[in-house]
Amino acid sequence: MITLDDLRIPQFENLPDDKLKKLRDVADAIDLEDGDIVYNAGEEGDIFYIVLSGEAVLEHALSKDAQVIFSSVQPGYCFGWTALAHQQPRRATARCRGASRFVRINGNELRRIMDEDHTLGYLLYHAFMESVLSQLFTRTEQFMSMLSHHPDLKNAL
């Protein structure tokens, strides 16, 4: 059973209880073990996740033998943003680090309640946009830092 407190994460801090109840009504929980795959890159992004305990790491395959972890999602934060866009493939693989518990919200249901309750839709999209922008800025800084260490570019800087 999902409680309202399970949904009180930073991205949803401005949602009143009546809006959180709508999310709770379409959510469930899943328990996974260390190393379990939450989803694979290339799969349809149809579920949105909130980390209740444990951790999810997002990884990308550089080659058949090399995986790079580019993000770690801690309790109180969410991942699986592609669930907000209809039939988009996952860009990364999500894996559990340690025993983990997640809230799952089906993307179709999430979009449906956002369409039915425009205030909720606005508040959620605003929260999602803040999170996505934060991640974009972080990734840009990481990329620029990596470029600054590239031997062919050091002389140009």
Side-chain angles (χ1 to χ4, degrees):
M1 173 78 177
I2 303 300
T3 67
L4 291 185
D5 285 339
D6 291 334
L7 299 173
R8 293 186 202 285
I9 63 173
Q11 289 88 355
F12 300 163
E13 67 187 359
N14 293 323
L15 293 182
D17 284 356
D18 65 313
K19 305 300 184 195
L20 286 175
K21 287 177 185 174
K22 289 182 178 187
L23 290 176
R24 182 194 60 199
D25 290 345
V26 297
D28 67 353
I30 184 172
D31 295 298
L32 298 171
E33 298 301 320
D34 183 44
D36 285 352
I37 300 292
V38 181
Y39 57 75
N40 285 297
E43 294 176 351
E44 183 180 332
D46 57 352
I47 305 290
F48 179 76
Y49 296 89
I50 299 169
V51 180
L52 294 178
S53 64
E55 178 182 18
V57 293
L58 303 179
E59 38 186 57
H60 184 75
L62 293 179
S63 70
K64 182 179 82 166
D65 300 319
Q67 296 283 332
V68 174
I69 294 173
F70 65 88
S71 185
S72 170
V73 186
Q74 303 295 317
Y77 291 90
C78 44
F79 65 102
W81 299 103
T82 53
L84 299 175
H86 187 63
Q87 296 181 330
Q88 289 296 310
R90 300 287 190 189
R91 303 287 183 208
T93 294
R95 182 185 311 273
C96 293
R97 185 179 286 166
S100 301
R101 183 171 179 82
F102 305 110
V103 169
R104 295 186 302 187
I105 303 175
N106 178 280
N108 290 329
E109 288 297 307
L110 182 58
R111 288 189 307 275
R112 179 187 59 76
I113 64 174
M114 291 169 70
D115 286 342
E116 289 175 358
D117 182 338
H118 292 160
T119 300
L120 176 60
Y122 173 80
L123 291 171
L124 287 176
Y125 265 111
H126 187 272
F128 296 151
M129 182 58 69
E130 292 290 327
S131 292
V132 169
L133 281 174
S134 175
Q135 291 176 12
L136 176 64
F137 295 153
T138 298
R139 299 292 178 272
T140 301
E141 288 174 14
Q142 290 170 337
F143 180 68
M144 297 307 289
S145 175
M146 181 186 72
L147 285 178
S148 73
H149 292 90
H150 190 282
D152 293 339
L153 297 177
K154 279 191 175 186
N155 295 331
L157 300 175

